Amino acid sequence: MKFPNWFGLKDKPVAIKATKNVFEIAPKSISRARKDIVDWNKVLQMAMLDENPTFWGLYNLLDEVAQDPLLKSQTENRRNKSLSQTFSITGKDGKVNPEITDLLQNQIFVNEVNSEILNTKFLKHSVGQWVFEDERLKFKLIPRQNVNPYSGLVYQDYTEDKFIKYREVKEYGIWVLEFGDSNLSADFGLINAVVPQVLFKRFAQSCWSELCEIYGIPPRVMKTNTQDKRMLNRAETMMKDMGAAAWFIIDESEKFEWAQGVATNGDVYKNLIQLCNNEISMPISGAIIGQDTVNGSNSKEKTSQNMLEDLVQSDLSLIEQEWNSKILKSLQLIGFIPQGEWFYKYDKADDLDKLFSYTKDLLNAGKEVDNNWITDKFGVPITGERENQSQQKLSASFFD
C-alpha cells in the first residue's frame, strides 16, 4: 500500500508496499456460560502444558472476567492515566522534532498501540499488525485466542491445527509487532490474578439476589382441607388473587398466615462482595481507592493515589521502551516517518503545588517573574499591575 502525502512532513518518506493484511483471522462466536474455579483451573492448566499449550480457553475466560464493573473501572482508570500523558519525539541531540511530534500526537493509532502495550500488564502478551483502512494507519490486535506466543504461532481458527509461524514471516518487526512476555509460566497478567475474586463475587451476588427473590416478601401459607376439591380450588383462587384483593373470607376450618422470614439480611454476602472488591483493587491500583466510605480518610486516599501514580510511571516507562526499541523503527520501515535516530519521550510533569509556592515566594521577595510564563504554567491570565492598597484607599475617599 502507498500512504498518501497527508502527514505534512517536509521530507516525504516513501512507504513500502503491502497488498493485504499479514494475518487474516476468522471471526468466532463465543458462548457465554456460568464459570467457576474448576473451569479456570482447567483452562489454566491447558495454557501451561509443555507441549502444544492452548490459550484460547483461558483468554475467553479472561475476556469474560474483565467485564466485571469494578475491575473494568480500575483497569480503565490506570490505562487512561497513561494514555492522557503528552509526549515528544526528540533527536539524538535531545531536541524536540516538532513535525514528527505533531504528526504522531494527531494519530489515533498511537492510543491503539499504547493500549496494547499496557494490556501486557493485564493480559501478559500482545501481537498486532499495522493496517491501512479508511485512509489512515491503524494498529489492530490479533486476538490472543489465536496466538501461541510460546511457540510463535498464529492460528486463523484457534479450533484447528493450521498455523503460521509469525516470527518467521518477513513482515515481523515491520508490519507485525509483538509486546510482552512470551515465556511459558503461570503469570498471565493482573486480570488472571483476580479471576477467583471475580468468580466468588458473582457467586455471592447470585445468592444474595436469590435471597431477595425468595425472602424479600414473606411467603403466604393457606391451611385448608386438601381432600375437599372445592375448598382446595377456592383457596388456590384466593391466593392467586391476593395481589389485587388484599382481603378474603375463609371457613372456620381454614387458616391463613404469613410464614416467618429468615433471620439474615444478606450481610454474609455483602461482606464477601466487599472482600472481593478490595482484593480486585489491590493488584490493579496498588491500593483500595475510594471504596471504603466508613473507614476512609483524606490521608489514606492521598497515599493510595500516590501508589497508583507509581504504577502509572512504571507503565509510561514501559511504553517509552517499546516505542524506542520497536515502534519508531517500524514506522520508519513502512515509510510513515522519515529515517533517523528518534526517541519517544514523555514530557515531565511539574508538581504545580510546589512550583506555585516557590513562585509566590519569589514574588514576595521582590523578584520579577515573566507574566507569560505564569499564564502558560498556571493558566492564570495576567492583565497588568494591581494598584497598591494606599492608591485604592485614596481613590475610594475621593469619590466619597
Side-chain angles (χ1 to χ4, degrees):
M1 65 186 67
K2 282 279 189 177
F3 290 120
N5 290 329
W6 44 260
F7 34 75
L9 295 177
K10 292 179 180 178
D11 300 324
K12 307 293 184 184
V14 179
I16 66 174
K17 295 181 179 180
T19 57
K20 61 180 181 179
N21 296 343
V22 180
F23 301 111
E24 297 288 347
I25 304 300
K28 296 285 290 185
S29 59
I30 301 175
S31 61
R32 298 190 63 185
R34 183 172 178 174
K35 304 294 184 181
D36 55 26
I37 299 298
V38 174
D39 297 317
W40 176 56
N41 284 327
K42 180 179 179 180
V43 295
L44 190 60
Q45 184 177 10
M46 294 298 294
M48 294 173 60
L49 294 175
D50 291 336
E51 296 183 3
N52 299 323
T54 57
F55 299 90
W56 60 268
L58 176 62
Y59 281 112
N60 282 344
L61 175 61
L62 295 184
D63 287 347
E64 174 68 22
V65 167
Q67 300 307 310
D68 177 78
L70 176 66
L71 177 58
K72 193 174 185 66
S73 69
Q74 295 281 318
T75 54
E76 288 298 316
N77 181 43
R78 177 171 168 179
R79 182 184 290 110
N80 291 336
K81 282 182 176 294
S82 297
L83 297 181
S84 62
Q85 302 294 319
T86 58
F87 64 89
S88 301
I89 304 298
T90 64
K92 60 181 180 181
D93 57 358
K95 295 182 179 180
V96 175
N97 185 302
E99 288 186 317
I100 302 179
T101 299
D102 292 342
L103 167 65
L104 293 179
Q105 285 180 346
N106 292 318
Q107 300 302 318
I108 298 177
F109 72 75
V110 173
N111 273 3
E112 294 173 345
V113 69
N114 286 349
S115 293
E116 296 309 329
I117 294 173
L118 294 175
N119 280 338
T120 60
K121 291 287 189 76
F122 303 126
L123 296 165
K124 186 178 181 177
H125 189 264
S126 297
V127 177
Q129 58 183 338
W130 298 113
V131 297
F132 192 70
E133 296 178 354
D134 302 327
E135 296 187 351
R136 77 175 183 89
L137 185 66
K138 299 180 180 179
F139 186 81
K140 285 193 173 181
L141 175 75
I142 300 173
R144 293 178 180 84
Q145 291 86 339
N146 297 75
V147 179
N148 180 343
Y150 177 64
S151 303
L153 310 177
V154 167
Y155 297 86
Q156 184 178 12
D157 187 331
Y158 58 71
T159 59
E160 299 179 358
D161 293 333
K162 298 179 181 179
F163 57 81
I164 299 175
K165 294 183 178 181
Y166 65 85
R167 295 192 182 108
E168 297 180 5
V169 300
K170 62 181 181 180
E171 295 86 356
Y172 182 74
I174 305 174
W175 290 92
V176 178
L177 297 177
E178 181 178 17
F179 310 114
D181 182 14
S182 59
N183 296 323
L184 190 64
S185 66
D187 182 10
F188 285 93
L190 297 176
I191 292 181
N192 182 67
V194 298
V195 167
Q197 285 72 32
V198 173
L199 296 181
F200 288 146
K201 177 182 172 181
R202 289 184 178 181
F203 169 75
Q205 289 175 325
S206 176
C207 293
W208 199 357
S209 175
E210 188 174 355
L211 176 70
C212 295
E213 180 182 357
I214 297 176
Y215 295 105
I217 299 176
R220 297 163 293 180
V221 178
M222 184 71 180
K223 297 181 180 180
T224 187
N225 183 7
T226 58
Q227 301 300 321
D228 188 331
K229 188 175 181 179
R230 181 183 62 84
M231 295 181 65
L232 182 62
N233 290 338
R234 188 168 67 88
E236 183 178 353
T237 301
M238 286 189 296
M239 297 297 281
K240 287 182 178 180
D241 295 340
M242 188 176 178
W247 61 273
F248 46 84
I249 301 173
I250 61 178
D251 191 82
E252 291 181 352
S253 59
E254 294 175 319
K255 184 179 180 181
F256 172 82
E257 61 184 17
W258 295 90
Q260 183 178 359
V262 294
T264 181
N265 59 359
D267 283 343
V268 61
Y269 306 123
K270 179 180 179 181
N271 293 336
L272 178 56
I273 292 173
Q274 184 62 48
L275 173 64
C276 292
N277 283 339
N278 293 345
E279 294 296 312
I280 291 172
S281 296
M282 291 295 291
I284 306 300
S285 299
I288 303 169
I289 298 178
Q291 294 181 41
D292 192 345
T293 58
V294 177
N295 302 313
S297 64
N298 183 49
S299 59
K300 181 180 178 181
E301 287 299 312
K302 286 184 176 180
T303 302
S304 300
Q305 290 291 342
N306 291 336
M307 296 181 68
L308 176 60
E309 187 62 29
D310 291 340
L311 295 177
V312 172
Q313 291 300 319
S314 174
D315 294 343
L316 295 179
S317 296
L318 175 63
I319 293 176
E320 286 183 345
Q321 293 168 8
E322 296 289 6
W323 271 85
N324 293 328
S325 62
K326 300 174 185 177
I327 302 171
L328 287 175
K329 179 181 178 181
S330 169
L331 291 176
Q332 293 179 53
L333 292 174
I334 67 177
F336 192 81
I337 61 175
Q339 294 290 329
E341 191 172 357
W342 310 116
F343 299 93
Y344 182 100
K345 183 178 180 181
Y346 279 104
D347 301 336
K348 185 177 181 180
D350 295 322
D351 189 333
L352 292 182
D353 290 337
K354 291 183 178 179
L355 189 60
F356 182 78
S357 178
Y358 180 68
T359 304
K360 185 172 63 174
D361 292 340
L362 290 176
L363 292 172
N364 291 334
K367 304 296 183 181
E368 292 185 1
V369 180
D370 184 62
N371 291 339
N372 293 330
W373 180 86
I374 295 177
T375 300
D376 294 338
K377 186 63 64 175
F378 302 109
V380 180
I382 306 298
T383 59
E385 299 293 333
R386 189 183 65 174
E387 296 183 80
N388 57 41
Q389 296 296 326
S390 61
Q391 289 176 328
Q392 292 179 8
K393 292 180 179 179
L394 180 61
S395 299
S397 62
F398 178 80
F399 290 102
D400 287 342

